[in-house]
Amino acid sequence: MKTIQYLLIAAMLPLAFGCQQEQADGEAGATDTPAATLADAYADHFYVGAALAVEHFTGENERGAALVREQFNTITPENIMKWMHIHPAADSFAFELPDQFVAFGEANDMHLVGHTLVWHSQLAPWVQEVTDSAGMDAVLQDHIGTIVGRYRGRINGWDVVNEALNEDGSLRETIFLNTMGEGYLKRAFDLAAAADPEAELYYNDYNLCQPAKRAGCIEMIKRLQAAGAKIDGVGIQAHFSMNGPSLEEVEKSITEFAALGLKVMLTELDITVLPAPWDVQGADVNRTAEGSDFMNPYAAGLPDSVAVAQAERYEGLFRLLLDHEDVISRVTFWGVDDGHSWKNNWPIPGRTDYTLIFDRNQAPKMAYDSIMMLKRVDP
Ligand code: G3I
């Protein structure tokens, strides 16, 4: 029954969507009561947004930009604020693209998130050469102070520290931990708070719905809070699959993080429909070969049955988020449409995945409608 419902609505949506596009462009045919967008539908609950690639805010992809303007009210830069891009050499910052990103968000009155200040990955090589605590402290002062200071009062929230934990909940060995010890965490939050006292400051990580990592994260945050760090929220990245994590584990993470007095966000939401190499049983190497039919089963298109299953997974998740809307402040999809999802190239490059709620033609998928329907049923 639900399948038929989704299919009917999905068939009608492009028409409704077309009308809305026309209206956004100010052309004839606008109606007085446009269909609600995602941002409108969830406006009373939490921000809903997307990670943007460069083309979405520079004018290279106007259709993508129009979709972003219409459907979302918060944006995160997918790559351009990572250390290697924004601070490629000790004495040089690259602000051209970040400035354009911020200008795009401001022009559209959006909640802006900065991603990310301190992360062991995508680091500029020169940072790896710092060998002592004082040297690294000076680097963090310059990096965080300069970037957060530049966008003071304009970027609303920062992923201050990203992915500092191992899967067992212990602290990951990084150049920051190795040079400064655990104190680098509090120092990063202190520097960000000093550079923009009004900005929200977050810890962001993946697999935070896995019990061991969640427990380690909670302990780490408690230590930060006990030391007096200003930490406002935790970002559950939410790179999910069709089977995991269970909604029960997601709910535990929401309630346990919220119990620390933090805002909780799903910051990098996507739901892959493809098999993962580590789930494949047996030793048939052909199965894990790049581009094999087994590992890339939907290269020709997404079957309705899978689209429906994904829509149901998204629906269950958003129902849970609405149940906890008092502590959920934001949900950000990691990409704008399926064509842009990083999952097309990870963990196996060159596959065709369908992780998001807009398809490669930027039309809403059943997953989009499942989220919208939820709001129609439970206004
Ligand atoms: O732009 C270049 C292109 O010129 C070049 O030809 C091509 C060849 O590899 O690479 C392109 O750059 C890639 C870039 O994405 C843009 O597509 C990089 O190789 C690739 O490493 C990079 O991946 C990004 C990844 O972080 C690493 O920074 C993904 O787009 C991005 O979605 C992903 O996002 C991370 C979050 O920041 C943190 N949490 C996990 C999440 C997923 O890994």
Side-chain angles (χ1 to χ4, degrees):
M1 183 60 198
K2 202 168 228 178
T3 307
I4 294 168
Q5 205 179 0
Y6 282 145
L7 289 173
L8 280 173
I9 292 169
M12 288 157 56
L13 266 172
L15 295 173
F17 206 71
C19 290
Q20 259 180 272
Q21 292 277 64
E22 282 189 0
Q23 218 182 358
D25 294 345
E27 292 175 8
T31 65
D32 290 338
T33 52
T37 68
L38 204 50
D40 287 342
Y42 282 84
D44 292 339
H45 306 281
F46 38 76
Y47 289 113
V48 183
L52 304 195
V54 169
E55 66 189 62
H56 295 120
F57 58 85
T58 53
E60 290 164 70
N61 178 351
E62 256 316 314
R63 278 191 69 213
L67 185 68
V68 171
R69 280 193 288 265
E70 181 176 82
Q71 294 289 329
F72 299 118
N73 54 19
T74 177
I75 52 174
T76 305
E78 185 175 4
N79 285 307
I80 51 141
M81 284 188 174
K82 292 172 181 173
W83 200 309
M84 64 184 282
H85 299 299
I86 201 169
H87 196 177
D91 57 357
S92 91
F93 288 87
F95 285 125
E96 194 183 329
L97 288 172
D99 283 354
Q100 287 185 55
F101 168 83
V102 171
F104 177 87
E106 288 181 335
N108 295 292
D109 201 19
M110 290 172 155
H111 176 86
L112 296 183
V113 179
H115 174 83
T116 172
L117 295 169
V118 180
W119 188 26
H120 65 281
S121 187
Q122 310 304 113
L123 207 48
W126 64 270
V127 185
Q128 300 282 4
E129 286 159 24
V130 180
T131 53
D132 63 293
S133 179
M136 187 58 84
D137 191 85
V139 167
L140 288 183
Q141 277 189 55
D142 185 34
H143 184 74
I144 295 174
T146 304
I147 297 169
V148 178
R150 183 180 184 89
Y151 300 112
R152 179 179 175 136
R154 302 174 70 195
I155 287 192
N156 305 87
W158 282 97
D159 288 338
V160 177
V161 178
N162 198 47
E163 301 173 9
L165 292 165
N166 294 314
E167 295 310 286
D168 66 359
S170 60
L171 287 180
R172 187 194 287 270
E173 253 200 53
T174 65
I175 187 72
F176 306 110
L177 188 72
N178 288 344
T179 51
M180 295 182 68
E182 184 172 350
Y184 88 87
L185 295 167
K186 169 143 189 312
R187 186 68 168 140
F189 279 92
D190 286 353
L191 289 166
D196 187 350
E198 300 300 320
E200 291 187 345
L201 306 182
Y202 315 130
Y203 177 72
N204 191 53
D205 210 333
Y206 58 83
N207 284 349
L208 288 184
C209 301
Q210 302 294 339
K213 196 164 184 179
R214 174 173 60 223
C217 185
I218 289 169
E219 290 312 310
M220 181 190 75
I221 290 172
K222 282 183 176 170
R223 292 195 297 275
L224 276 168
Q225 290 175 325
K230 176 187 182 288
I231 172 167
D232 301 294
V234 63
I236 298 171
Q237 288 187 4
H239 296 296
F240 290 167
S241 75
M242 297 289 281
N243 306 314
S246 68
L247 292 182
E248 288 72 23
E249 291 299 340
V250 178
E251 183 163 38
K252 272 188 202 166
S253 294
I254 293 170
T255 54
E256 291 184 24
F257 288 131
L260 298 171
L262 301 176
K263 293 184 177 181
V264 183
M265 287 146 276
L266 265 54
T267 53
E268 303 184 12
L269 176 58
D270 48 34
I271 299 179
T272 180
V273 298
L274 298 184
W278 36 85
D279 293 339
V280 175
Q281 302 295 315
D284 180 356
V285 288
N286 291 323
R287 288 191 156 189
T288 56
E290 282 176 29
S292 75
D293 289 348
F294 184 82
M295 294 307 287
N296 190 22
Y298 311 130
L302 184 64
D304 283 342
S305 59
V306 182
V308 167
Q310 187 191 43
E312 290 176 352
R313 177 95 164 116
Y314 266 115
E315 179 183 329
L317 182 62
F318 271 73
R319 194 182 291 281
L320 177 68
L321 298 175
L322 286 170
D323 284 348
H324 293 279
E325 61 171 312
D326 52 328
V327 296
I328 299 288
S329 60
R330 170 169 62 92
V331 177
T332 297
F333 292 90
W334 204 241
V336 174
D337 68 59
D338 282 344
H340 289 109
S341 172
W342 73 293
K343 296 293 289 184
N344 293 304
N345 288 305
W346 194 90
I348 297 173
R351 294 196 296 179
T352 306
D353 207 341
Y354 300 84
T355 59
L356 299 169
I357 58 172
F358 294 99
D359 71 16
R360 284 168 168 73
N361 295 316
Q362 298 168 345
K365 294 163 60 182
M366 290 183 213
Y368 172 90
D369 200 59
S370 71
I371 297 171
M372 293 296 281
M373 267 198 318
L374 202 51
K375 285 300 304 159
R376 288 184 201 122
V377 174
D378 301 321

